[in-house]
Structures are given as C-alpha cells and as structure tokens.
Amino acid sequence: MVSLMSMTQTQKILARHAHLETVRAGQLIMADLDLVLGNDITAPVAIREFAKFGKPRVFDRDKVALVPDHFTPNKDIKAAEQCACMRAFAADQQITNYFEVGRVGIEHALIPEKGLVTAGDCVIGADSHTCTYGALGAFSTGVGSTDMACGMATGQAWFKVPSAIRFVLEGQFGPHVSGKDLILHIIGLIGVDGALYQSMEFTGPGVAALTIDDRFTVANMAIEAGAKNGIFPVDETTLAYLREVGAREPVIAAADGDAAYEATYTINLGKLRPTVAFPHLPSNTRTIDEAGDVRIDQVVIGSCTNGRLSDLRAAAAILKGRSVAPHVRAIILPATQKIWLEAMEEGLFRIFVDAGCAVSTPTCGPCLGGHMGILAAGERAVATTNRNFVGRMGHVESEVYLASPVVAAASAVAGRLAGPAELDTL
Amino acid sequence: MKAQGTVFKYGDNVDTDVIIPARYLNTSDPAELARHCMEDIDKTFIQKVRPGDIIVAARNFGCGSSREHAPIAIKEAGVSCVIAATFARIFYRNSINIGLPILECPEAAAEISAGDTVAVDFATGKITNVTTGRSFQAEPFPPFMQKLIAAGGLPQYMSAQD
C-alpha cells in the first residue's frame, strides 16, 4: 500500500527546498534555488525582465551562472550584441560564474565540470536541457527567461510537483551501445510527450553499469519525452564524480520504496541495439539494423548530449586509421575547454584530422542551426545532438538523424547511416 | 477577459524551432521575432494573422527548446489565445509568466477547424465555435495561476508578494 507520506526522489528534493515535510503530485510550491542558469539566447530576455522585479542586485552572485555558448564565438553582429548585453550584466552584478570565450564550454557539460551542481540541489536554467544535472541526483529543470529573471531576483521558482514514471534498468550494455541508445530507445517507447509534466526516475541494478557520462546523456534528453526532469539515484559513481570536480557536499535523497509511480518500465540494457531517431521527431526511432540505405552529407559529433571526452574517445576508436567518406563533412565539437585539451593530449585530434574531420572550439553551433555546420535544402546529417525537428540544423528541407558517437563516426566513414559492424564489410 | 478571432489550426508536436527558428534568435526584439512567427511550419501565417486571431493545435504544443521567444513571438504577432489538447510544460509556464492566454481543451482542439471564428471567455474557460455553434469547456487555471495572470505576469506577481 502506498503511504500518503511516500515520495519520489524528485518530490523529496522539492519538499526540502520548499521547507515542507512532504509534497504530493499536483501541489503548487515555491522552492529555493541552488543555481540559476542562462545562455546568450535566453539571458538577454531574462536581463530585460529582471529590471521589472525592482531588485538592484541578484539574490546571490555565486548562484547565478551565465554561459555564452550558443552563438559563440559571436556568429554575427546581432549575436555579438546579445553577448555584450550579457557580459555587461555579469560585470555590473559581479556574477562569479560568467564564462568568457576561451574559458566557456557548452553549459550542461561545463556546469557539472566546474563543480557547480551537487546531489540534492534544486536548479533551474533558461535552457531546456538543464535536466542534464539529474545525472548527479539533483532536481534540475529547464524554464524560460522570465523564470530565470525571477530566480535571479528572488532565489525562488514556482513548481507544480510532478508525478513520476519509473524506469528499472537491468543488465549491462553490449558492445557499441551507450546512454544515447538507451534514451533514444525510451523516447521511442513512450513518445515525445510520454512523460509530459512528469519526472523520469531511473533506477534498478543496471544503473551501476552506467558511467556518469552515460547518465548525463540520458538525463539530458528527458525533455525530449516531455519530462520536467530526469533523475538518477546517488551511488559510488556519482560521489566519485562529485569529489573529482570539487562539488559542494551532497544531500542524498532516495525515493521511498513505496513511492507512487504513474508507470514502471523495465529495460534490459543487454538487449538494446545502436538506435537512431529518424526525422523529424526524437521518438521516430529504429535500430541501426532497420536503418536502410540513407546517404548522408554531414556528421556532427558534440553538443550537451554527447560532446564529452568519452564520446570523443568512442568516435576516435571508430575513426582511427579510417577516412571520412569524400562526400561527407564531419565536424567534431568538444563540449568544454577541459575536454578539448584532454582530447588533444590523448592524440584524438590527430586521429580526427587524419580521418578528414574538422575540429571546432566548444559551441552549441550546429545543434540548433546556429552556425558551424548548417545544412542546405535536401541535405542529411547524422548528429549526436538531441533534436531532429523540421529545420533544426538548417534548411526546412534538411534532415537530422540522431545517434550515438559510435554510429555517427561509422556513418561518416560509410557515407551513409551505418553501425560500426558495417565498417568491417566495406 | 474575452477574445474572439479566426482560427489557425495545427497538428501534434508543434515545436518551438518551427514557431521561431533559431536563426532569428540573435535578437530578443519582440517585433522582429513576430515577423518570423510560425515561419517554418506555415510561411503565410504572418501575412494572414490579424489581431485577436487564435491558434488551435493538437498535442504537445510548444515542445523542444525553452526559448521564451516562442510565446513572445506569438503574443506580439497579435494572437489572443492558444488552445491545444496539451502543451509542453516549459511553453506552458512561459506563456503564463508573460501573460499569453493559453487553454488546454482536447475536445475543442479536435473539433475546431482552420478558418472557424472562435470566442473565448477566460473567466469561465468557455470556448465557443461561433461558426458551428458548438461550445467547449476548458480546464480552469488553478487559483495560483489565476492570481499570476491577473497580476499581469510573474514579475508583477512576485513584486506584489514582498
């Protein structure tokens, strides 16, 4: 029997931040925030709204992060002016965590790497992929610019307490299968609104087999199922990562054993195959075995979903000693400066450049059709990014296929959508 | 508060990338954003839309990016109300926060057609299809959101709490 007091992991974090003993699904609360985040697209609107709150200073200059990562290095004059607005605000407010070009990285890779989020935190960001930090056992969700402004002014946000869907993970991944395949499989299973307004709570013995990078990738795409947040339990892997990055002391919240879930799915990680989301929805998934013959023009390996060092290593393992097909442009975007340096020092850039890839400075760039790899009419890209909506990477008649770094790298070599196993038969 | 206008009708999963493509996000000027509203799903929308017109869509309207530029562009284009079977959650809260009226009503979303004239009474949640004479009842907002909307948006509401 479900006790009235039982809560999900998410509900426990929200209750603590609302100074309540318990919360229940559907309840409206005001919650204290540990971090308020914005980027060069959303922060300028938030800065305009901030003035309407009548507060001269942000609530805590250490708990606001401003990350100019989308259209940087400035892609045009208008983008430069947006960044100038953000830079001036950061200077005026003496924001501790403002990251200039040269130090900046893609926000959802950079913020955890800098130790700015810990387990049990309550975080909002004016960017939909803020749900990434659920990998660390934090409640973290994307909001708009007005919410960000409110967060900066008051240190609080309003929430409707979500119900939850539980994903019980069992077993471990087979070869060439990773967190990206898991989350694409799940979105294919439940649909792009399958978790609308809800939490996605990942649990079960299979969690232990997931690296922290796998968890970042899975939590990152919870929004693509419509979820408010995705969250993982805190285990040794989490704690080791938090120690490594010097994060604040974690506050561990675990779901009650009898917490109520709207639905429970059990997923055997060992049965998953490399998975691809076909245009134009992340839920339009097929395994690589069902992909058919799809000739491609571009490959993008990077983004807040899959631009981490492990992603670059996985791509390099495929590309080593091979060449990108002559008709394909392959673009690699390490997500942060730290990742960029480590990849360089490991010799990954030599592998990429020898294979015929372009290596970029960190930027969101092509993921949202900003710059650094825009598609023409009729062109197709395999990308390790998170969205394949109409026109997402460029022309409305272009197409994006979402996949893991392994599949993206194999496709770059094959010149068509391909899994790594197919390279042996080329 | 009431609204009446001609309906522009769309399907499931209208994402914020088609409502306002990212190539126009190098500005936050509402008038400039409005000029490109719905451009990647309906190129003629911005030429045809008149003040007070209403967008009706199916499931998960506003999914994807958190860009508040999407409801800003819709509001600035003169749209008086968006009715959908369901809304993506960030779009939902952004609309409430900036004072763009939105209503969830699966029946209205299913039965209203493009070009119909529709009237909305926000106080009662009653949606009337003037063209066909049918009416529908939308879910009323919870009291907290009613107060937020009545205050004129989140900044005004929060300032009044101090």
Side-chain angles (χ1 to χ4, degrees), chain A residues 109-132:
Chain A
L110 183 72
I111 296 293
E113 180 187 288
K114 295 288 180 187
L116 296 178
V117 178
T118 196
D121 274 0
C122 180
V123 176
I124 63 167
D127 187 283
S128 60
H129 293 108
T130 304
C131 51
T132 307

Side-chain angles (χ1 to χ4, degrees), chain A residues 5-331:
Chain A
M5 306 294 278
S6 295
M7 290 188 282
T8 65
Q9 187 183 3
T10 299
Q11 289 165 356
K12 282 194 178 174
I13 297 171
L14 287 174
R16 189 166 60 79
H17 285 81
H19 309 284
L20 297 168
E21 283 288 311
T22 58
V23 295
R24 56 188 158 63
Q27 187 176 350
L28 282 153
I29 57 164
M30 289 298 293
D32 292 343
L33 301 170
D34 297 297
L35 188 71
V36 178
L37 169 72
N39 60 52
D40 51 313
I41 289 177
T42 59
V45 178
I47 290 164
R48 188 166 71 204
E49 292 299 308
F50 177 79
K52 297 182 186 168
F53 286 84
K55 309 256 178 163
R57 313 300 298 171
V58 299
F59 83 108
D60 185 335
R61 71 188 191 98
D62 294 332
K63 293 184 178 177
V64 174
L66 297 175
V67 185
D69 59 354
H70 276 58
F71 289 166
T72 56
N74 300 336
K75 79 180 183 99
D76 55 28
I77 294 167
K78 285 181 177 173
E81 285 172 352
Q82 300 261 88
C83 286
C85 156
M86 196 173 170
R87 184 179 300 115
F89 180 82
D92 179 51
Q93 294 285 332
Q94 299 178 291
I95 301 295
T96 315
N97 295 299
Y98 168 77
F99 300 94
E100 194 52 86
V101 168
R103 296 182 173 85
V104 80
I106 296 176
E107 52 194 337
H108 308 308
L110 183 72
I111 296 293
E113 180 187 288
K114 295 288 180 187
L116 296 178
V117 178
T118 196
D121 274 0
C122 180
V123 176
I124 63 167
D127 187 283
S128 60
H129 293 108
T130 304
C131 51
T132 307
Y133 319 136
L136 302 176
F139 170 79
S140 190
T141 192
V143 295
S145 295
T146 300
D147 278 314
M148 180 194 168
C150 179
M152 290 197 297
T154 68
Q156 291 190 310
W158 65 270
F159 295 112
K160 190 162 98 174
V161 175
S163 61
I165 301 178
R166 176 169 50 182
F167 297 87
V168 180
L169 309 181
E170 293 178 344
Q172 53 189 350
F173 291 136
H176 299 310
V177 176
S178 66
K180 185 59 161 287
D181 304 297
L182 170 60
I183 190 62
L184 288 176
H185 172 78
I186 287 173
I187 297 165
L189 194 65
I190 68 172
V192 289
D193 61 352
L196 193 59
Y197 305 123
Q198 297 174 315
S199 301
M200 295 168 75
E201 297 205 347
F202 302 94
T203 179
V207 169
L210 299 185
T211 65
I212 203 74
D213 285 1
D214 281 324
R215 299 178 200 188
F216 280 129
T217 302
V218 171
N220 172 274
M221 287 188 72
I223 179 67
E224 309 319 333
K228 183 169 219 146
N229 68 311
I231 194 164
F232 279 84
V234 177
D235 64 6
E236 273 312 310
T237 303
T238 327
L239 295 173
Y241 179 84
L242 292 172
R243 276 194 301 272
E244 182 193 322
V245 297
R248 283 168 287 114
E249 197 59 31
V251 180
I252 299 171
D256 288 317
D258 60 351
Y261 291 92
E262 298 283 333
T264 296
Y265 295 88
T266 301
I267 294 170
N268 185 336
L269 301 177
K271 289 194 175 159
L272 297 179
R273 294 283 301 147
T275 300
V276 180
F278 275 50
H280 288 285
L281 282 176
S283 57
N284 192 15
T285 54
R286 300 184 199 179
T287 68
I288 194 68
D289 318 292
E290 310 158 327
D293 188 13
V294 180
R295 185 183 155 97
I296 61 166
D297 305 281
Q298 180 165 296
V299 163
V300 171
I301 297 173
S303 83
C304 60
T305 312
N306 279 121
R308 297 181 180 82
L309 187 61
S310 60
D311 299 313
L312 303 185
R313 284 176 182 155
I318 300 292
L319 289 165
K320 188 169 187 178
R322 295 190 169 108
S323 282
V324 171
H327 68 276
V328 172
R329 293 107 50 187
I331 302 161

Side-chain angles (χ1 to χ4, degrees), chain A residues 338-426:
Chain A
K338 179 168 183 278
I339 294 166
W340 197 99
L341 263 183
E342 286 171 348
M344 182 190 71
E345 285 169 357
E346 280 187 20
L348 304 187
F349 288 178
R350 162 66 67 182
I351 294 170
F352 294 145
V353 173
D354 280 350
C357 302
V359 181
S360 162
T361 195
T363 179
C364 302
C367 171
L368 75 162
H371 61 151
M372 290 297 295
I374 304 304
L375 300 174
E379 288 191 331
R380 296 194 186 105
V382 176
T384 68
T385 57
N386 42 55
R387 293 195 173 122
N388 55 353
F389 300 148
V390 169
R392 174 74 178 178
M393 198 174 276
H395 197 279
V396 289
E397 288 163 27
S398 62
E399 294 182 347
V400 176
Y401 295 74
L402 304 176
S404 69
V406 164
V407 168
S411 301
V413 173
R416 58 183 169 77
L417 192 50
E422 293 170 64
L423 295 184
D424 300 331
T425 60
L426 279 182

Side-chain angles (χ1 to χ4, degrees), chain A residues 146, chain B residues 1 3 16 19 37-38 45 52-55 61-62 67-83 87 90-104 120 122 141 145 148-150 152-154:
Chain A
T146 300
Chain B
M1 204 170 93
T16 56
I19 296 172
C37 186
M38 310 303 279
F45 172 83
D53 282 352
I54 291 170
I55 289 176
F61 185 87
R67 62 190 70 162
E68 202 161 292
H69 312 64
I72 290 171
I74 290 172
K75 190 181 179 193
E76 188 71 15
V79 171
S80 63
C81 177
V82 183
I83 300 167
F87 289 93
I90 305 178
F91 184 91
Y92 184 91
R93 65 184 294 143
N94 285 349
S95 298
I96 302 274
N97 284 344
I98 70 161
L100 171 68
I102 58 171
L103 292 172
E104 274 193 350
V120 179
F122 295 110
F141 288 111
M145 285 184 206
L148 212 160
I149 293 163
L154 186 62

Side-chain angles (χ1 to χ4, degrees), chain B residues 14-28:
Chain B
V14 174
D15 61 79
T16 56
D17 277 276
V18 295
I19 296 172
I20 181 72
R23 60 185 176 274
Y24 302 120
L25 297 185
N26 53 4
T27 177
S28 56

